[in-house]
Amino acid sequence: MQVQVNTDRNIQGSEGLASRVKDMVNRHLDRFSEDATRAEVYITDQNSTSKGGSTDIRCQLEVRLAGRDPLSVSDNAADVEQAVNGASQKMVRLLESTLGKANRRG
């Protein structure tokens, strides 16, 4: 599965960050690799540098399944790793539900 990482102008989008994010997403979603063709990760700082807040980092995770509409979830947290981890866990539950229902029908 291909994983693409996107950041806004308030997040330092380094190769190291992209690598860590890709590793986390792949680790969580590996068992869905036959069904999922691509994952796109969007990391944004909701409050930027002008405001503070404890859960201002947002991760939106979109997964494209072969022959289906994309699925999307998001999570807010205090840092990038927590937001990516939270969104990945939500995606696992959504994929389990979506693919489980499809397998019961098929």
Side-chain angles (χ1 to χ4, degrees):
M1 173 176 55
Q2 181 182 10
V3 179
Q4 181 176 349
V5 178
N6 303 288
T7 60
D8 72 1
R9 60 187 164 98
N10 298 310
I11 302 285
Q12 183 84 19
S14 67
E15 285 297 318
L17 174 68
S19 179
R20 287 192 315 273
V21 169
K22 287 177 184 180
D23 287 346
M24 279 191 282
V25 171
N26 280 319
R27 192 172 58 249
H28 280 95
L29 304 181
D30 183 55
R31 64 184 164 131
F32 303 103
S33 62
E34 289 185 20
D35 297 297
T37 59
R38 179 182 178 100
E40 291 198 37
V41 183
Y42 300 93
I43 303 168
T44 57
D45 185 343
Q46 298 294 95
N47 294 332
S48 70
T49 57
S50 63
K51 300 179 196 171
S54 61
T55 58
D56 63 339
I57 303 298
R58 180 174 190 260
C59 175
Q60 180 179 349
L61 175 58
E62 183 178 284
V63 171
R64 299 179 189 277
L65 299 173
R68 298 173 186 256
D69 290 334
L71 300 173
S72 181
V73 297
S74 65
D75 194 62
N76 292 345
D79 63 42
V80 171
E81 285 77 13
Q82 290 175 353
V84 172
N85 189 46
S88 295
Q89 290 176 0
K90 288 179 182 180
M91 182 57 74
V92 165
R93 290 190 297 274
L94 181 56
L95 287 167
E96 287 172 340
S97 173
T98 301
L99 295 173
K101 288 176 186 175
N103 288 340
R104 287 192 295 268
R105 284 188 219 138

